[in-house]
Amino acid sequence: MSVKERKQRERAERERLIVATARELAEQQGWDAVTTRRLAERIEYSQPVLYSHFRGKREIIGAVALEGAGELAAAVRAATSAASSPRERVAALARAYLDFAERNPAVYDALFQLDGGLPYAQEDTPEPLKDAFAALLETLGGVAGDGVDPGLYTETFWAALHGLATLTREGRLPPGDTEQRVELLVDRLAVI
């Protein structure tokens, strides 16, 4: 391995460590606890080393969001692949999405609540974000109904899921009724 390749590998490893540490700290204590100073202390590198990878917290949030988008897409695809009917796939998608949001609140915030400097719904949207939406579209596009744009339908269904995830987490909806909400969403919003 050449010196250049070794340095590239070490740089990529440091970047993964920074992102993993930021994510861990955010999940434990919230995003307000994630500062370059605290990250530098935790990973035992100087702040200038962090700034050589990320210009600041905003870019770190964006990196966590991109990682989380890949995980969300994988979770949705895994859940829907095991279902045998369109209705079961939509219900599995909804459960997987809500479960992801509940299990990964800081990552979910990085994806959908915080400014990570990432463009959404544009030509230059990063591939992991496009793929997360594609994972939803793969299932929901098939149940949009005649004459309904599959992308628009997917956005609407996603908005409903986001609302459920956010309102439940904030204590605005009782958590015990999640399964009933999923059933209502699937039965009333999907043309199956």
Side-chain angles (χ1 to χ4, degrees):
M1 175 182 303
S2 73
V3 173
K4 183 179 178 182
E5 289 172 333
R6 180 181 55 79
K7 286 185 178 188
Q8 287 174 335
R9 188 186 74 227
E10 289 171 355
R11 181 172 175 73
E13 287 172 9
R14 269 194 314 273
E15 195 166 295
R16 280 192 293 276
L17 178 61
I18 293 166
V19 171
T21 304
R23 182 176 174 165
E24 179 183 315
L25 189 57
E27 291 292 1
Q28 291 171 354
Q29 299 176 31
W31 278 105
D32 287 342
V34 179
T35 64
T36 54
R37 176 182 225 147
R38 289 184 85 182
L39 285 174
E41 289 171 5
R42 282 212 175 183
I43 65 172
E44 299 178 349
Y45 283 105
S46 67
Q47 283 182 292
V49 170
L50 263 93
Y51 285 115
S52 73
H53 290 274
F54 300 99
R55 286 182 289 201
K57 183 176 176 177
R58 182 178 185 220
E59 284 189 3
I60 294 169
I61 290 169
V64 170
L66 292 176
E67 188 175 271
E71 293 170 10
L72 176 60
V76 165
R77 286 185 175 116
T80 58
S81 71
S84 60
S85 71
R87 186 191 189 289
E88 287 176 15
R89 280 191 289 283
V90 173
L93 177 147
R95 288 184 197 102
Y97 184 96
L98 294 172
D99 183 57
F100 179 88
E102 181 181 351
R103 284 184 298 105
N104 306 283
V107 174
Y108 191 82
D109 284 349
L111 269 165
F112 303 121
Q113 303 287 97
L114 302 173
D115 178 10
L118 302 172
Y120 285 76
Q122 298 174 24
E123 282 296 316
D124 60 342
T125 298
E127 281 306 312
L129 299 178
K130 288 180 181 180
D131 188 51
F133 185 76
L136 300 175
L137 182 62
E138 289 163 10
T139 293
L140 296 172
V143 297
D146 293 337
V148 176
D149 178 84
L152 187 60
Y153 175 79
T154 300
E155 290 169 353
T156 303
F157 200 96
W158 171 30
L161 288 174
H162 176 69
L164 289 175
T166 303
L167 291 170
T168 300
R169 187 168 103 191
E170 296 299 320
R172 305 293 198 278
L173 298 175
D177 297 331
T178 298
E179 186 57 31
Q180 288 176 290
R181 288 187 197 97
V182 167
E183 293 298 319
L184 275 171
L185 192 59
V186 171
D187 289 342
R188 302 289 188 226
L189 213 52
V191 179
I192 303 172

